[in-house]
């Protein structure tokens, strides 16, 4: 038993579509005859999108955001609620999917920097802003004694290599980032820089630092296009004091003692049983107990989903393209295996291991997480085929069911030393109780014999306490 009282929710992967407005750059670069907008949305059916391509196709999603949607609206309608779930202790993952230049990085805010106007900020800085303001108000609250510790990491998957975007020093001299699996089947990363953060500005500075390291290269479609997946992860550790029912005040709990150093960084991004890997040692106190809640938030800016021939890629660029397509292909296969009700009946094997991307996202797809897929599309006729491909891909993801649980556990549950001292303490309490009961029984017996009454029930109770 690792979970002590955390909630559990069966949820489908949420899928929303964002239609990008045609930018000046698009108008200059797309052939004029293909600039016609073929994607329509309706204010009366905000979950529907219609593509007037060679044939008319209609798709339904959890939400469809038309081109005029602001960054703030996307955040409020689709993300804010997930940030609150994250604070409750659920794992959350948001993926941005779509062809190059469809607005993934803009939507996610993966490349935001401190100078960006606040209207333009993407999901990551907004989510961090909600997170830190909630934590600040909790700190000022008299009725909430939670303590928080937040760390961020930023990796890129490029040609199936994991690159640490926050790594210090010369890249070649750094230990490689590896995905490992422990004996219990938990997945975790090693060799990864995780930095403690205490405010939004710090997070944005790390975003900017990491984005500068990202592998980018020019193609016909967008000179800033990226052929790699970028994953910005936030790990939050909360300590919460749960008072005993009748004594102990939530306002003045005994401070926990940590007899073991904090979680090693290589352990803090784990899979199936994250709470187990992140347990922190503490003691149980007379007035209650401390529990830890560990939650992870992955913001995934996926590589462009377009087919290679559209980018006229060649040489090394083509190799990159093939590798990326293999990552997205594996993601597609996982989505298909999890999402197709016919396949799901017969398939127990989900091919998470086919790529690093799917391995890392294992607990976000069909596992322990709340997941939002934001599929970004262009409205232009020029991109009609890619838009249809994106909508079909996104549609399949809607069938995936996740089972999200709060990763809460009693502190020290996996610590043998802690459990041994707990057993000793409980034994002592048990024998004190026996002695107290025996004394009480003797007193009662003396009272009864002095009054001349002996009841069998009481006598048997007395005997029981000594067996
Ligand atoms: P991707 O990451 O999918 O390749 P980007 O997010 O880099 O695409 O977007 C391509 C270009 O379009 C960028 O210059 C970006 O600022 C612009 N853009 C994307 N979405 C929007 C939007 N909703 N409103 C205004 N400009 C946008
Ligand atoms: Mg991008």
């Amino acid at each position: 038993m690792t979970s002590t009282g955390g909630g559990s929710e069966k949820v489908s992967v949420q899928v929303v579509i964002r239609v990008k407005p045609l930018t000046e750059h698009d108008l200059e670069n797309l052939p004029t005859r293909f600039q016609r907008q073929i994607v329509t949305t309706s204010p009366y059916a905000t979950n529907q999108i219609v593509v007037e391509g060679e044939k008319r196709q209609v798709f339904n999603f959890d939400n469809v955001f038309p081109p005029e949607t602001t960054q703030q609206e996307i955040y409020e309608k689709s993300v804010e609620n997930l940030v609150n779930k994250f604070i409750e202790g659920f794992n959350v993952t948001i993926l941005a999917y779509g062809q190059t230049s469809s607005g993934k990085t803009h939507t996610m805010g993966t490349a935001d920097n401190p100078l960006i106007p606040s209207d333009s900020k993407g999901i990551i800085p907004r989510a961090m802003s909600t997170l830190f303001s909630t934590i600040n108000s909790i700190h000022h609250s008299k009725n909430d004694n939670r303590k928080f510790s937040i760390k961020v990491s930023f990796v890129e998957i490029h040609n199936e290599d994991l690159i640490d975007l926050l790594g210090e020093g010369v890249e070649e001299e750094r230990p490689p980032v590896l995905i490992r699996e422990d004996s219990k089947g938990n997945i975790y990363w090693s060799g990864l820089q995780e930095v403690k953060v205490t405010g939004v500005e710090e997070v944005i500075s790390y975003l900017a630092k990491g984005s500068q390291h990202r592998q980018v290269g020019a193609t016909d479609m967008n000179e800033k296009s990226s052929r790699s997946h970028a994953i910005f992860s936030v790990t939050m550790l909360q300590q919460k004091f749960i008072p005993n029912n009748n004594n102990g005040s939530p306002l003045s709990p005994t401070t926990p003692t940590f007899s073991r150093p904090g979680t090693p960084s290589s352990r803090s991004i784990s899979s199936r049983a994250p709470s187990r890997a992140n347990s922190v040692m503490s003691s149980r106190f007379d007035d209650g107990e401390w529990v830890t809640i560990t939650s992870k938030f992955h913001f995934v800016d996926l590589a462009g989903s377009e087919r290679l021939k559209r980018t006229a890629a060649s040489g090394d660029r083509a190799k990159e393209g093939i590798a990326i397509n293999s990552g997205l292909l594996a993601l597609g296969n996982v989505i298909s295996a999890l999402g197709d009700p016919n396949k799901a009946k017969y398939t127990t094997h989900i091919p998470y291991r086919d790529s690093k991307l799917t391995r890392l996202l294992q607990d976000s797809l069909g596992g322990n997480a709340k997941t939002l897929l934001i599929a970004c599309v262009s409205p232009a006729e020029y991109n009609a085929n890619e838009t249809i491909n994106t909508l079909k891909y996104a549609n399949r993801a809607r069938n995936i069911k996740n089972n999200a649980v709060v990763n809460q556990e009693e502190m020290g549950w996996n610590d043998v030393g802690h459990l041994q001292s707990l057993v000793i303490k409980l034994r002592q309490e048990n024998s004190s109780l026996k002695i107290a009961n025996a004394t009480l029984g003797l007193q009662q017996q003396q009272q009864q014999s002095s009054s001349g009454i002996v009841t069998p029930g009481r006598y048997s109770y007395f005997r029981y306490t000594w067996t």
Side-chain angles (χ1 to χ4, degrees), residues 18 20-21 23 67 69 99-107 222 301:
R18 185 178 200 185
K20 190 189 107 156
T23 59
T69 312
Q99 73 177 115
T100 294
S101 201
S102 59
K104 299 180 296 295
T105 301
H106 173 79
T107 300
N222 179 346
D301 187 344

Side-chain angles (χ1 to χ4, degrees), residues 68-344:
E68 60 276 13
T69 312
T70 62
Q71 296 282 69
Q72 174 74 10
E73 278 174 90
I74 299 258
Y75 181 71
E76 283 175 1
K77 289 190 178 149
S78 294
V79 181
E80 198 165 22
N81 174 43
L82 292 174
V83 179
N84 294 329
K85 288 289 174 191
F86 173 62
I87 298 168
E88 273 178 44
F90 289 95
N91 290 340
V92 179
T93 295
I94 302 181
L95 303 127
Y97 180 89
Q99 73 177 115
T100 294
S101 201
S102 59
K104 299 180 296 295
T105 301
H106 173 79
T107 300
M108 202 61 106
T110 324
D112 284 2
N113 60 56
L115 302 176
I116 198 163
S118 58
D119 286 357
S120 308
K121 277 183 189 151
I123 285 171
I124 301 174
R126 285 171 199 272
M128 292 299 104
S129 187
T130 303
L131 177 66
F132 285 110
S133 64
T134 308
I135 288 175
N136 280 340
S137 57
I138 288 173
H139 279 160
H140 289 110
S141 154
K142 289 200 172 118
N143 301 318
D144 199 328
N145 53 48
R146 272 180 287 171
K147 297 171 196 293
F148 295 87
S149 163
I150 294 165
K151 287 179 178 173
V152 297
S153 60
F154 199 4
V155 295
E156 178 178 52
I157 301 178
H158 181 248
N159 284 342
E160 283 297 285
D161 289 331
L162 271 182
I163 300 151
D164 186 352
L165 296 174
L166 300 183
E168 300 289 344
V170 185
E171 196 173 315
E172 289 71 35
E173 290 169 13
R174 280 189 243 139
V177 181
L178 298 172
I179 309 173
R180 296 180 188 216
E181 192 169 355
D182 67 14
S183 58
K184 290 178 186 143
N186 300 324
I187 289 171
Y188 58 92
W189 305 356
S190 65
L192 177 68
Q193 184 83 24
E194 279 193 299
V195 284
K196 199 168 175 175
V197 287
T198 52
V200 189
E201 293 73 22
E202 246 180 304
V203 174
I204 297 180
S205 73
Y206 284 119
L207 266 183
K209 179 183 168 189
S211 294
Q212 279 171 0
H213 288 160
R214 275 198 81 184
Q215 302 273 347
V216 290
T219 67
D220 288 358
M221 290 186 80
N222 179 346
E223 70 265 13
K224 275 191 181 167
S225 76
S226 171
R227 263 147 297 284
S228 60
H229 314 288
I231 307 177
F232 187 80
S233 304
V234 183
T235 307
M236 179 168 68
L237 190 81
Q238 317 183 29
Q239 296 165 355
K240 189 160 114 182
F241 187 76
I242 303 199
N244 287 337
N245 280 347
N246 297 324
N247 55 27
S249 152
L251 305 181
S252 56
T254 321
T255 307
T257 52
F258 298 99
S259 59
R260 194 164 73 186
T263 313
S265 68
S266 63
R267 280 264 166 169
S268 53
I269 297 185
S270 65
S271 176
R272 291 279 165 197
S275 53
R276 224 173 293 158
N278 292 325
S279 68
V280 180
M281 161 65 190
S282 177
S283 301
R284 190 191 284 254
F285 296 94
D286 289 341
D287 50 354
E289 66 184 311
W290 284 88
V291 295
T292 54
I293 299 173
T294 313
S295 41
K296 288 180 294 171
F297 206 136
H298 292 311
F299 299 88
V300 188
D301 187 344
L302 291 165
S305 59
E306 64 277 358
R307 289 193 204 121
L308 258 191
K309 55 181 175 1
R310 283 293 295 277
T311 62
S314 61
D316 280 352
R317 187 61 32 73
K319 242 191 270 162
E320 290 175 19
I322 289 160
I324 285 151
N325 281 348
S326 78
L328 288 177
L329 184 70
L331 181 63
N333 289 339
V334 166
I335 287 175
S336 176
L338 288 166
D340 182 335
N342 293 325
K343 276 193 193 165

Side-chain angles (χ1 to χ4, degrees), residues 405-422:
V405 296
V406 174
N407 302 307
Q408 174 178 309
E409 73 174 16
E410 182 185 325
M411 289 169 92
W413 191 256
N414 293 305
D415 190 289
V416 174
H418 168 70
L419 293 176
Q420 283 174 344
S421 56
L422 190 64

